Amino acid sequence: MSDIKKLSEQFGIEGELIFTKSENGFVFLDFRNKFATASICLYGAHVTSYRPNNSRDILWMSPDSNFEVGKPIRGGIPVCFPWFGPHKSDPKKPQHGFGRLVVWEVVETGTKLGGETFVNLRLCSSEETKIYFPNDFCATIAVVVGAKLEISLRVINQSNEVFDYTCALHSYYNISDIENVKISGLQGAHYHSQLLDEPNDFVQESAKIEIHKAETRHFHNTESTCYIEDPNFGRNIQVAKAGSKITTVWNPWSETCAQINDLPDDGYKTFVCIEAVNAFDDVISLQPGELHTTSAMIGLI
Ligand code: TA6
């Protein structure tokens, strides 16, 4: 029996959740319910689309994304785990961890009483993960597709020792034009810019952030909800989060974009990343048996 047939029999939900396989063998879960459509790729537990009814996609996908084992998918919601950014001691280890480079296992699907559809995907430590990260863990990506998209990364320490990890739900939002959107929710927060020599420390003075150049701002000690006002698309995207004290706002702008081979040269114009992060002064330290959950709740208001 093909893996798709097996998955469909075990986890498919008629008219609501189907499994598909792309030409290059990537397996997707495609959701359709009264609220929205959505797609998740098992490679990386990667949400590639979330489209509430009567709206265009909230998430941005690069038309040049690789769907190739060993490379991350560009766009949607990459899951950065068990480290965010470059590995702190070994630059040869993959940027943003290996969570986005491996296939996650489907453990449960279902329909909630309100009609939302959910899936839980799992990645547990193995010989393969121990090449990169020595500790025993189990991570779950739980996604609920409803009037909002809820995504959670839950990590349990299954070893006998304490371990640390960093992570991000690195969402790419689909916008009309980077020069015409405003991001609110971060006023008063301290941030450091990854593009300047570190350490640096700024305060977000204005209520609304406008982006007119490359930005990688890591906002500290904030659990606030952010909003992307996009008058051209006639919508405001709401980005709430839990279990994360760092919010990262990223846009590469033209020069960096041109150097990233899975982004079109003008790709930077139509996305902005607002990421729920645990890193820097918000590293997660888990005692044996302990767990931590990082979540993002994404929708329109
Ligand atoms: O979260 C911001 C960031 O770490 C940037 O520095 C930039 O590199 C971006 O993520 C994308 O990283 P990626 O490895 O997906 O190209």
Side-chain angles (χ1 to χ4, degrees):
M1 209 188 312
S2 78
D3 49 353
I4 284 288
K5 200 162 173 228
K6 239 196 253 170
L7 284 167
S8 303
E9 278 180 16
Q10 208 179 342
F11 297 109
I13 306 173
E14 209 180 331
E16 195 174 331
L17 175 54
I18 60 165
F19 288 82
T20 57
K21 199 179 213 172
S22 67
E23 269 173 20
N24 46 2
F26 280 55
V27 174
F28 287 81
L29 292 89
D30 291 333
F31 298 79
R32 175 176 297 279
N33 59 28
K34 65 181 178 186
F35 303 105
T37 61
S39 292
I40 303 176
C41 186
L42 288 187
Y43 179 75
H46 198 123
V47 182
T48 56
S49 169
Y50 170 59
R51 186 171 181 170
N53 293 340
N54 306 319
S55 180
R56 62 185 89 223
D57 214 307
I58 288 190
L59 299 174
W60 184 87
M61 269 301 298
S62 171
D64 296 346
S65 177
N66 295 300
F67 284 92
E68 201 182 315
V69 174
K71 293 187 175 163
I73 295 170
R74 175 74 64 191
I77 312 183
V79 175
C80 306
F81 171 79
W83 59 88
F84 174 68
H87 188 272
K88 70 173 186 234
S89 59
D90 185 350
K92 290 199 287 296
K93 288 186 178 169
Q95 151 105 337
H96 289 323
F98 52 77
R100 60 182 186 162
L101 303 175
V102 293
V103 174
W104 293 54
E105 178 198 0
V106 184
V107 286
E108 192 184 3
T109 59
T111 310
K112 298 203 165 222
L113 282 178
E116 300 87 354
T117 315
F118 70 89
V119 59
N120 295 332
L121 305 174
R122 188 168 60 192
L123 173 68
C124 293
S125 47
S126 64
E127 290 312 306
E128 196 191 357
T129 66
K130 284 184 182 175
I131 298 169
Y132 299 103
F133 186 74
N135 308 90
D136 283 313
F137 69 87
C138 250
T140 304
I141 282 286
V143 179
V144 181
V145 178
K148 294 205 182 326
L149 181 84
E150 297 173 25
I151 175 167
S152 304
L153 168 64
R154 189 177 67 230
V155 180
I156 304 179
N157 180 353
Q158 294 196 313
S159 68
N160 297 322
E161 295 169 347
V162 66
F163 71 69
D164 291 350
Y165 72 95
T166 57
C167 66
L169 300 169
H170 193 306
S171 314
Y172 288 67
Y173 293 100
N174 180 26
I175 54 172
S176 60
D177 179 352
I178 188 70
E179 307 250 27
N180 273 314
V181 297
K182 292 187 172 74
I183 298 163
S184 58
L186 292 164
Q187 190 174 28
H190 283 251
Y191 68 91
H192 77 272
S193 168
Q194 193 176 297
L195 306 180
L196 301 173
D197 287 341
E198 293 187 22
N200 63 64
D201 181 14
F202 300 93
V203 174
Q204 178 58 42
E205 302 286 356
S206 60
K208 297 188 180 181
I209 300 172
E210 295 183 34
I211 298 181
H212 301 290
K213 60 179 175 56
E215 293 288 3
T216 311
R217 293 189 189 184
H218 302 293
F219 293 86
H220 290 246
N221 200 22
T222 175
E223 293 173 274
S224 300
T225 297
C226 292
Y227 301 88
I228 306 169
E229 293 171 27
D230 189 345
N232 292 355
F233 274 178
R235 67 184 191 181
N236 292 335
I237 298 174
Q238 184 184 51
V239 184
K241 65 169 190 170
S244 145
K245 292 201 172 75
I246 303 283
T247 297
T248 296
V249 174
W250 180 60
N251 183 282
W253 216 253
S254 50
E255 208 178 313
T256 306
C257 194
Q259 291 161 7
I260 299 178
N261 67 9
D262 57 356
L263 280 176
D265 287 357
D266 62 354
Y268 73 96
K269 291 183 178 170
T270 51
F271 78 81
V272 64
C273 289
I274 300 184
E275 309 162 33
V277 177
N278 297 103
F280 310 111
D281 51 5
D282 187 27
V283 172
I284 303 299
S285 194
L286 291 182
Q287 295 294 330
E290 208 182 354
L291 65 84
H292 180 81
T293 304
T294 307
S295 309
M297 285 73 70
I298 297 160
L300 296 176
I301 50 153

